[in-house]
């Protein structure tokens, strides 16, 4: 099983730089959930202390009729509200059968080493920066 977590740490940008042990802690404490196509993961305005990572499938983020993006396997979802403790800025809907892992603040604050928590946050910052850069190019 350790090899599986090592692969996730290499393949998923959000887990890059984390040891397989730290990734295992995240998966042990997180909750894996599955959504069917068309199911709402969260709605704009919801409050939550959870970040999601798409393990399989994809999720559309929208504001009513306007789609802002599609979050694919390996990518985080809901990270802005998670970091800022603000309400969700968009609605997230599964485009197909989709598996997600929920990561709560508790994991970051209490289970990960300080170095791993900082690395996870740095990875999220890099992902947000990439998304912002793509949005600006559009």
């Amino acid at each position: 099983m350790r090899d599986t977590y090592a692969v996730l740490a290499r393949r998923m940008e959000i887990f890059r730089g984390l040891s397989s042990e730290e990734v295992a802690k995240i998966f042990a404490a997180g909750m894996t959930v599955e959504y069917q196509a068309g199911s709402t993961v969260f709605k704009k305005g919801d409050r939550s202390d959870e970040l999601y990572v798409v393990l399989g499938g994809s999720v559309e983020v929208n504001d009513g009729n306007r789609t802002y993006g599609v979050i694919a396997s390996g990518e985080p979802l809901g990270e802005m509200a998670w970091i800022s403790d603000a309400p969700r800025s968009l609605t997230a809907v599964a485009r197909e059968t989709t598996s997600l892992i929920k990561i709560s603040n508790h994991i970051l604050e209490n289970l990960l080493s300080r170095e791993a928590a900082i690395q996870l946050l740095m990875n999220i910052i890099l992902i947000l920066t990439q998304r912002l850069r793509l949005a600006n190019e559009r």
Side-chain angles (χ1 to χ4, degrees), residues 28-50:
M31 180 191 313
T32 304
V33 291
E34 189 170 287
Y35 292 88
Q36 298 303 313
S39 297
T40 301
V41 177
F42 56 77
K43 293 181 183 176
K44 180 178 179 176
D46 285 354
R47 290 189 101 31
S48 179
D49 70 345
E50 296 169 330

Side-chain angles (χ1 to χ4, degrees), residues 7 10 29 37 49 69 72 76 79 93 101 103 112 114 119 129 131:
V7 168
R10 284 193 311 271
D49 70 345
E79 69 283 346
V93 178
I101 184 165
I103 302 172
L112 296 180
R114 182 171 190 246
Q119 183 64 53
T129 302
R131 288 181 182 171

Side-chain angles (χ1 to χ4, degrees), residues 11 21 25-26 30 45 51 56 58 70 73 75 107 118 137:
R11 289 194 181 163
E21 291 80 13
K25 286 181 190 177
I26 292 169
L51 159 79
S58 60
V70 175
S73 183
E75 296 183 70
I107 294 170
I118 290 169
E137 289 173 1

Side-chain angles (χ1 to χ4, degrees), residues 17-28:
L18 297 179
S19 69
S20 56
E21 291 80 13
E22 296 288 359
V23 176
K25 286 181 190 177
I26 292 169
F27 275 81

Side-chain angles (χ1 to χ4, degrees), residues 97-109:
T97 300
T98 301
S99 296
L100 307 168
I101 184 165
K102 288 184 186 183
I103 302 172
S104 70
N105 280 340
H106 171 76
I107 294 170
L108 183 71
E109 295 169 355

